[in-house]
Amino acid sequence: MSKADRPDQPNAASRFNEDKATYAVRGEGDTPDLEAGMAAIREVLKTLPTRPGVYRMQDKRGDVLYVGKARSLKSRVGAYVQMNRLPHRLMRMVAQTRSMTIVTTGSEAEALLLEAQLIKKFRPAYNVLLRDDKSFPFILLREGHDFPRITKHRGAQRVKGQYYGPFASAGSVNRTINALQKLFLLRSCTDSFFNNRSRPCLLYQIKRCSAPCVERIDKQAYAELVDDARDFLSGKSTEVQQKLGEAMEKASEALDFEMAAVYRDRLKALTFIQGNQAINAAGLPDADIFALAAQGSTVCIQAFFIRGGQNWGHRSFFPAHTSNVEIDEVFSSFLMQFYDQMPPPKLVLLDRELPDADLLAEALGTKADYRVSVSKPQRGDRRKLLTQASRNAEEALQRRLAETSTQAKIMREMVELLELEAVPDRIEIYDNSHIQGTNMVGGMVVAGPEGFRKNAYRKFNIKNPDIAPGDDFAMMREVLERRFSRAQKEDPDRDKGEWPDLVLIDGGKGQMSAARDALAEIGVEDVVMIGVSKGPDRNAGRETFHLPDGRMVNLPPNSPVLFYLQRLRDEAHRFAIGAHRTRRAKAVGHSSLDDVPGIGPARKKALLLHFGTARAVKNASLDDLQAAPGVSATVAQKIYDFFHA
């Protein structure tokens, strides 16, 4: 099967087109009904093939409840109508099911790949979900330049160059890049910065760059540094260490002590990187190591990333929706979602044998276009690494349980102090940001008992032209009107979990009044809302909390609830400021030519080169516009009409 035909590719072959392979029967009724759900499934069963594929269970609105794969669709889906064998969790799911969507595939491995893709897309309520699905950072050694640049990269790997990773966190990759700069003196600046230098920058002064921008090093010598960096990142650190040691000795024998000191400092940087290897991975090929620990409904999966015989960090994951799910199913689902957007290494080591390990290996190999091994080592160094990973998983799980217990206590105290009806599952915090009324932005941050839900954050560019610059009350009204008007359209029954149980407003009485008026105008009057105003002299710790009934509450300075609410407020403040800075940065590069219909980047550049400034284009006559290169009479008329309407 070619890469373009795989189900995880955006332009997959037609056999993965759901419009050509869909069997859906809509049922009636708005409440969960086991008999209605089983009737809908039985109707689908009449037309199901015995081929491999993926099925989706959907509720009355068509929202996806569950995504599953099957070697034989007819056999697998048929199991859902055997009521006596269904656990309570699946009985609840069947009771909500009113339709199904079926996609047939060429093999079970293809079905497994498509299942992971659809789980990530729909995030169903009954599937195990990988909460932390951010892309991992890589080190990128760029190509296409006489003096290649080393930098951190996250996201799609479209830039030409060599990628080394993944690293467990941005912190680990930043520390490694800093050490690599000291070790190999490679540049990290952008090409435009590089091309406009007339003297070395600070990185050269602190011995973290060889200053190729001002020819302090020639192409051949820099290319040798690049080759050494490639060797090191590919696992040949011993050869690099030996080469530096020999160079230091030669410099010392030649009485060139200054150069010997440079090599000595580079050897120190190499030792620093090697000293940060938390585990001994020498001799191990590129591999990912996973260990699972579980207690109750909480599951922790610890991942170690080994590349080129080096440990590039580890991270703990806590999958969601794991209650009453078999551990093997949790592990398998996690692995497929984990590798949905990241290429797997050739070796994946697990702390347990999974029943579908061979199928996982086949699916990952199909995705990567090379053979992938998924196994549990029984002895030797690999077994020792897994033992260490298991210990880390247990420790991370215990820390998580302790944090959860503390967090639950804080939430209960918050309910009492703020006189809420129950512990809120979803808290939304709102704040605005602007500079003297320019580039006004509103920010919404979401938190729950498990922490911040960053994939639910939203920013609102203030669009109403009638809002006076800096009118915080009007800004808050617009943000809340847009947020809750959309919620009323998309989730009128409030059963998707996207309506807040508590709203925190960064502000006092005025902001609270504006927020209540905005919600009242659109018919939302039952959302619990609390304002947080800064204390005297804007001192942290002396905040006043404005309750829905108009009363004001001050919490003790050492109250854990106060610290928690401050953290929520500060996160909203940080997010709103970040959104404002992003909008302001875009506005700096905005030209009035960007607003002219039919003017793309090429014509804009040609006009600016011809006239010099956007103001000159605006003031140009029709004849002058027609004389500009690349501008036809029709386009010139459009530009003239736009500026002289």
Side-chain angles (χ1 to χ4, degrees):
M1 180 178 62
S2 68
K3 184 175 182 181
D5 289 338
R6 295 205 312 256
D8 58 314
Q9 297 301 310
N11 298 317
S14 60
R15 68 173 175 276
F16 302 114
N17 188 333
E18 296 171 9
D19 293 336
K20 296 183 180 180
T22 300
Y23 306 81
V25 176
R26 298 285 178 180
E28 299 296 333
D30 293 344
T31 58
D33 186 330
L34 187 58
E35 289 299 329
M38 296 181 74
I41 296 173
R42 287 194 186 100
E43 194 66 29
V44 173
L45 272 172
K46 296 177 182 178
T47 55
L48 275 186
T50 57
R51 293 178 56 186
V54 176
Y55 59 92
R56 299 207 303 264
M57 323 283 279
Q58 293 147 178
D59 64 10
K60 61 184 176 64
R61 289 193 305 261
D63 295 332
V64 180
L65 298 169
Y66 181 77
V67 176
K69 59 88 183 167
R71 181 184 305 167
S72 170
L73 284 167
K74 196 172 190 70
S75 300
R76 183 69 186 90
V77 175
Y80 289 103
V81 297
Q82 300 176 16
M83 189 184 306
N84 296 333
R85 298 184 181 181
L86 289 180
H88 291 297
R89 169 175 162 270
L90 295 185
M91 290 178 69
R92 291 197 303 271
M93 182 183 74
V94 171
Q96 293 175 259
T97 300
R98 294 297 179 271
S99 66
M100 293 185 66
T101 300
I102 308 296
V103 183
T104 57
T105 60
S107 68
E108 191 178 4
E110 293 177 6
L112 192 59
L113 289 170
L114 183 58
E115 178 195 37
Q117 182 185 7
L118 293 177
I119 289 174
K120 202 160 190 176
K121 176 181 178 180
F122 293 109
R123 304 191 69 81
Y126 287 90
N127 279 101
V128 175
L129 299 180
L130 172 58
R131 275 204 187 106
D132 189 358
D133 59 353
K134 287 185 178 178
S135 59
F136 288 86
F138 284 71
I139 287 178
L140 169 60
L141 194 55
R142 298 179 69 118
E143 294 179 349
H145 196 283
D146 291 338
F147 299 97
R149 168 191 177 199
I150 190 170
T151 183
K152 178 177 69 175
H153 181 87
R154 193 192 290 269
Q157 298 181 1
R158 299 189 182 95
V159 180
K160 188 177 180 181
Q162 287 88 39
Y163 293 85
Y164 301 93
F167 286 80
S169 64
S172 62
V173 76
N174 288 337
R175 287 191 297 271
T176 303
I177 287 179
N178 289 339
L180 287 173
Q181 286 178 303
K182 296 176 184 177
L183 177 56
F184 300 111
L185 308 178
L186 301 182
R187 73 178 184 97
S188 60
C189 58
T190 63
D191 290 348
S192 60
F193 185 86
F194 177 93
N195 294 331
N196 289 287
R197 294 301 300 177
S198 59
R199 57 191 178 89
C201 66
L202 179 62
L203 290 178
Y204 175 78
Q205 306 295 335
I206 61 176
K207 299 179 181 179
R208 280 178 50 185
C209 182
S210 53
C213 55
V214 290
E215 300 180 349
R216 296 296 173 93
I217 185 172
D218 58 33
K219 292 181 183 179
Q220 182 178 354
Y222 192 88
E224 291 180 4
L225 293 177
V226 173
D227 290 339
D228 288 344
R230 288 196 184 101
D231 288 342
F232 177 83
L233 290 168
S234 300
K236 301 177 182 178
S237 58
T238 304
E239 290 87 337
V240 175
Q241 190 171 19
Q242 183 178 355
K243 182 178 178 180
L244 289 174
E246 291 173 355
M248 184 176 68
E249 286 186 9
K250 288 182 181 179
S252 298
E253 291 171 358
L255 302 182
D256 189 351
F257 299 116
E258 184 176 353
M259 183 57 65
V262 172
Y263 287 122
R264 179 202 63 201
D265 293 341
R266 292 175 64 187
L267 276 170
K268 283 184 178 179
L270 175 61
T271 305
F272 170 83
I273 299 177
Q274 293 172 331
N276 276 271
Q277 307 300 317
I279 60 177
N280 180 19
L284 187 69
D286 290 357
D288 287 342
I289 301 172
F290 296 96
L292 182 146
Q295 184 171 331
S297 61
T298 304
V299 175
C300 172
I301 297 177
Q302 185 78 19
F304 283 172
F305 307 116
I306 309 299
R307 298 294 184 272
Q310 304 174 42
N311 172 31
W312 282 356
H314 56 89
R315 185 187 290 189
S316 300
F317 298 89
F318 297 89
H321 304 173
T322 57
S323 181
N324 300 319
V325 181
E326 294 292 333
I327 290 299
D328 290 346
E329 182 182 344
V330 173
F331 214 166
S332 297
S333 183
F334 165 83
L335 289 172
M336 288 309 302
Q337 292 179 57
F338 181 83
Y339 288 119
D340 181 56
Q341 293 183 341
M342 190 176 76
K346 294 184 178 181
L347 181 62
V348 178
L349 300 179
L350 310 179
D351 69 338
R352 65 198 66 217
E353 294 181 356
L354 296 179
D356 57 351
D358 292 340
L359 179 61
L360 285 169
E362 181 185 353
L364 295 178
T366 300
K367 176 181 174 64
D369 291 329
Y370 50 75
R371 187 174 182 273
V372 176
S373 173
V374 178
S375 63
K376 173 191 175 185
Q378 302 296 330
R379 60 183 67 87
D381 292 337
R382 295 182 180 183
R383 181 62 192 172
K384 292 178 182 177
L385 293 176
L386 267 175
T387 301
Q388 187 163 355
S390 298
R391 184 168 63 251
N392 276 264
E394 289 287 352
E395 292 172 354
L397 177 65
Q398 295 305 318
R399 287 195 298 270
R400 180 60 169 246
L401 291 173
E403 292 170 0
T404 303
S405 175
T406 303
Q407 181 70 9
K409 182 180 178 182
I410 291 175
M411 297 292 276
R412 289 194 299 270
E413 291 181 2
M414 183 179 71
V415 169
E416 295 178 4
L417 290 171
L418 300 182
E419 300 180 9
L420 306 177
E421 292 184 1
V423 174
D425 180 66
R426 180 184 173 104
I427 304 174
E428 294 182 359
I429 311 98
Y430 293 86
D431 192 14
N432 299 323
S433 182
H434 60 88
I435 292 181
Q436 295 181 344
T438 62
N439 303 308
M440 297 182 290
V441 175
M444 179 188 82
V445 166
V446 181
E450 75 284 354
F452 291 109
R453 302 174 184 173
K454 296 195 175 183
N455 61 342
Y457 287 15
R458 295 291 181 269
K459 68 175 182 179
F460 300 85
N461 292 329
I462 304 302
K463 300 177 179 179
N464 189 345
D466 297 329
I467 294 180
D471 188 345
D472 286 330
F473 299 159
M475 290 170 61
M476 185 61 69
R477 279 196 297 269
E478 178 178 334
V479 168
L480 292 176
E481 284 175 359
R482 288 165 56 185
R483 157 70 179 113
F484 285 94
S485 294
R486 182 171 181 176
Q488 285 179 314
K489 294 177 182 177
E490 296 181 351
D491 188 16
D493 297 331
R494 305 191 185 188
D495 55 1
K496 289 185 179 181
E498 297 181 359
W499 278 76
D501 302 302
L502 174 64
V503 170
L504 290 182
I505 302 294
D506 186 11
K509 291 182 179 180
Q511 288 283 32
M512 280 284 288
S513 177
R516 279 197 296 265
D517 292 344
L519 295 188
E521 287 179 7
I522 58 176
V524 178
E525 299 181 352
D526 56 345
V527 172
V528 179
M529 187 179 301
I530 292 176
V532 185
S533 62
K534 299 176 179 64
D537 301 321
R538 306 176 70 86
N539 287 339
R542 302 180 68 183
E543 286 86 354
T544 299
F545 296 90
H546 303 265
L547 303 186
D549 59 5
R551 289 181 298 121
M552 294 182 291
V553 175
N554 293 94
L555 303 181
N558 60 349
S559 168
V561 176
L562 175 61
F563 297 151
Y564 175 67
L565 294 173
Q566 285 175 340
R567 189 155 62 94
L568 298 183
R569 189 268 318 275
D570 293 344
E571 173 68 2
H573 193 55
R574 179 202 66 80
F575 179 69
I577 289 177
H580 163 73
R581 286 174 176 167
T582 301
R583 188 180 186 190
R584 191 177 69 206
K586 289 182 179 179
V588 169
H590 183 79
S591 166
S592 58
L593 295 179
D594 294 325
D595 300 325
V596 182
I599 299 298
R603 279 205 178 108
K604 174 185 172 184
K605 183 177 180 180
L607 287 167
L608 290 174
L609 288 174
H610 183 76
F611 289 99
T613 65
R615 182 183 293 273
V617 177
K618 180 179 179 179
N619 295 330
S621 67
L622 182 59
D623 292 339
D624 291 337
L625 289 171
Q626 291 175 347
V631 178
S632 65
T634 303
V635 173
Q637 188 67 53
K638 283 184 179 180
I639 298 172
Y640 185 83
D641 291 343
F642 180 83
F643 288 118
H644 300 82

